[in-house]
């Protein structure tokens, strides 16, 4: 049995999440007369301060390096587009997939993964730092907009997908598993689990899995695009990656002598299309094998139903390895990473020693507080900064702010 989505839409699959059967919100609210719960969540995310700040947060290239490189915001929009396309093709709830794509990077620090690495280092004695968990913390606590609750009071399905879009966090007994095996759950996840059960042991909905793989597709293709436009990746070097070589040969065979800017774009769009079509085909195979009758069957499965084929997974790993070696570890990128690492590290220790250096209300109530409380407040403050604000704050507090570039 399928349910219709409205004029011009394909019927929703029986294994898709049904907004009419949402498990609701932590703080009950009346239904919207014009929007489903997930459309409402999407709108709350888009209107949040954390979402706006993504405009000035690094993806790979720091803001001073050019206006045409991706930021966290443009990356997020691109992930959302891919997630919607996948969800539509697989007859899932497109609004939930879009909502999760829009929220997936809210918890990122300034300066991309370097900022996250330094923050985790600084928080090592106080529960660590994880950007996925920080996204949960933002939408359940740190956004202070509504009169009746902290956070955005998102639907259960949105919070579940946000927390575990990459897979289960624990086994059924509650022991951390996967990448978290032998470790503690991230602080924000442990804290929120005391209020609401997000079934941390199960797989997430197919919509959450769509958002996760859309993220992989987007940053693979678009980091490749940015790296080529920055002159850090050459066409010749790309031929070492079989997937890229086939695409490059196809483009050059069809458009010999094409100017570089168009050549780069043709490579990027084919990279995305090939991955998207592969995910759709593989996911249909997995769904047919599982034969789910309801969305709960997706959660109870032994593995993900939204995935690359074995061959594409191998090629996607090779692409990631190429980007890691030739872009993320490029001397010019590493030089900037070392500079911004100093900014984040200095800010953390400076605020931790003297919390009054933070503006109100961030410094309020910290007099005599335990170190872990102070550290978490400092962490929340810095994680919410844009690149520019972090540089400005460092310049306000220190005399040795690096000149990026």
């Amino acid at each position: 049995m399928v349910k219709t989505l409205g004029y011009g839409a394909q019927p929703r699959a029986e294994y898709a999440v049904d907004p009419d059967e949402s498990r609701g919100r932590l703080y009950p609210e009346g239904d919207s007369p014009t929007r489903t719960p997930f459309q409402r969540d999407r709108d709350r995310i888009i209107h949040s301060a954390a979402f706006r700040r993504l405009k000035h947060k690094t993806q790979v290239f720091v803001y001073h390096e050019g206006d045409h490189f991706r930021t966290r915001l443009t990356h997020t929009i691109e992930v959302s587009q891919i997630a919607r396309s996948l969800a539509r093709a697989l007859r899932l709830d497109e609004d939930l997939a879009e909502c999760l794509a829009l929220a997936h990077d809210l918890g990122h620090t300034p300066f991309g993964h370097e900022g996250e690495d330094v923050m985790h280092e600084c928080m090592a004695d106080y529960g660590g730092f994880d950007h996925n968990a920080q996204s949960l913390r933002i939408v359940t606590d740190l956004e202070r907009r509504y009169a009746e609750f902290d956070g955005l009071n998102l639907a259960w399905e949105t919070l579940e997908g946000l927390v575990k879009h990459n897979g289960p966090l624990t086994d059924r007994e509650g022991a951390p598993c996967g990448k978290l095996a032998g470790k503690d759950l991230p602080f924000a996840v442990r804290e929120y689990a005391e209020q609401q059960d997000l079934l941390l042991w199960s797989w997430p909905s197919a919509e959450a899995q769509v958002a996760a793989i859309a993220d992989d597709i987007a940053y693979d293709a678009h980091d490749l695009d940015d790296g080529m436009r920055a002159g850090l990746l050459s066409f010749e070097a790309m031929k070492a990656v079989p997937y890229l070589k086939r695409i490059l040969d196809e483009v050059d065979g069809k458009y010999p002598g094409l100017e570089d800017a168009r050549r780069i774009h043709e490579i990027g769009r084919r990279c995305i299309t090939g991955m998207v079509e592969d995910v759709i085909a593989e996911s249909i195979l997995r769904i047919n094998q599982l034969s789910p009758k309801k969305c709960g069957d997706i959660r109870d499965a032994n593995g993900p139903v939204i995935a690359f084929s074995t061959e594409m997974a191998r090629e996607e790993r090779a692409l990631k390895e190429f980007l890691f070696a030739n872009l993320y570890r490029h001397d010019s990128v590493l030089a900037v990473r070392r500079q911004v690492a100093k900014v984040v590290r200095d800010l953390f220790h400076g605020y931790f020693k003297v919390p009054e250096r933070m503006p109100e209300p961030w410094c309020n109530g910290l007099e005599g507080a335990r170190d872990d409380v102070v550290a978490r407040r400092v962490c929340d403050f810095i994680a919410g900064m844009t690149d520019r604000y972090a540089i400005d704050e460092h310049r306000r507090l220190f005399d040795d702010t690096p000149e990026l570039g």
Side-chain angles (χ1 to χ4, degrees), residues 20 25 29-37 39-40 43-44:
D20 292 333
R25 305 175 187 275
E29 299 181 51
D31 293 336
S32 167
T34 60
R35 295 171 294 170
T36 72
Q39 290 169 344
R40 202 174 184 183
D43 297 347
R44 290 183 177 189

Side-chain angles (χ1 to χ4, degrees), residues 10 130 161 220 303 324 374 386:
Q10 293 294 315
D130 176 271
D220 282 344
F324 183 84
V374 175
T386 64

Side-chain angles (χ1 to χ4, degrees), residues 126-393:
Y126 310 106
F129 178 84
D130 176 271
H131 80 267
N132 286 325
Q134 191 69 12
S135 296
L136 176 69
R137 187 160 169 78
I138 286 170
V139 301
T140 59
D141 183 20
L142 298 180
E143 280 284 328
R144 305 288 170 88
R145 302 172 58 83
Y146 295 89
E148 297 184 355
F149 47 76
D150 292 337
L152 303 180
N153 198 33
L154 303 179
W156 184 93
E157 292 78 8
T158 304
L159 296 178
E160 179 225 17
L162 186 61
V163 166
K164 57 181 186 179
H165 57 268
N166 290 319
L169 302 185
T170 72
D171 59 24
R172 283 183 176 269
E173 285 69 47
C177 65
K179 292 182 179 180
L180 294 174
K183 305 176 183 177
D184 291 332
L185 287 175
F187 169 81
V189 177
R190 296 199 314 272
E191 185 181 54
Y192 192 75
E194 297 176 1
Q195 301 182 73
Q196 194 174 32
D197 182 7
L198 296 178
L199 303 181
L200 299 180
W201 52 267
S202 78
W203 284 92
S205 66
E207 288 82 356
Q209 295 179 41
V210 156
I213 207 162
D215 184 27
D216 283 336
I217 295 171
Y219 77 68
D220 282 344
H222 296 143
D223 287 358
L224 179 70
D225 182 274
D226 279 351
M228 287 189 288
R229 294 183 190 280
L232 305 186
L233 301 176
S234 70
F235 295 113
E236 191 61 34
M238 287 165 46
K239 293 180 181 178
V241 183
Y243 183 57
L244 297 183
K245 184 180 186 304
R246 290 199 305 274
I247 292 173
L248 191 58
D249 289 346
E250 178 186 341
V251 171
D252 290 345
K254 190 172 184 179
Y255 307 107
L258 189 66
E259 62 189 90
D260 283 356
R262 295 178 191 269
R263 195 180 182 199
I264 289 169
H265 180 68
E266 289 295 331
I267 292 167
R269 65 192 288 260
R270 282 169 169 76
C271 184
I272 293 173
T273 298
M275 289 184 177
V276 166
E277 291 177 351
D278 179 87
V279 168
I280 291 170
E282 178 66 18
S283 299
I284 289 173
L285 284 176
R286 293 187 181 207
I287 289 168
N288 287 341
Q289 289 172 356
L290 182 64
S291 191
K293 303 303 180 187
K294 58 185 184 301
C295 62
D297 293 338
I298 301 291
R299 294 190 176 96
D300 291 339
N302 293 324
V305 296
I306 310 299
F308 292 119
S309 66
T310 301
E311 178 61 26
M312 181 59 77
R314 181 163 47 247
E315 297 201 309
E316 196 263 347
R317 282 195 300 273
L319 174 53
K320 274 189 169 62
E321 290 169 0
F322 171 78
L323 290 171
F324 183 84
N326 296 279
L327 178 60
Y328 309 138
R329 306 301 295 178
H330 192 280
D331 288 345
S332 64
V333 174
L334 289 176
V336 174
R337 289 188 64 162
R338 285 190 290 270
Q339 290 176 307
V340 298
K342 170 181 169 54
V343 171
V344 175
R345 192 175 290 110
D346 287 351
L347 287 176
F348 181 88
H349 293 299
Y351 294 137
F352 182 76
K353 292 176 182 176
V354 187
E356 293 77 17
R357 289 175 167 176
M358 294 188 293
E360 295 184 349
W362 291 97
C363 64
N364 292 349
L366 292 181
E367 185 176 353
R370 299 192 316 268
D371 284 353
D372 62 316
V373 174
V374 175
R376 186 58 58 180
R377 184 79 63 84
V378 170
C379 174
D380 289 339
F381 181 49
I382 296 175
M385 291 181 177
T386 64
D387 295 8
R388 289 172 177 168
Y389 185 65
I391 290 291
D392 289 344
E393 277 292 279

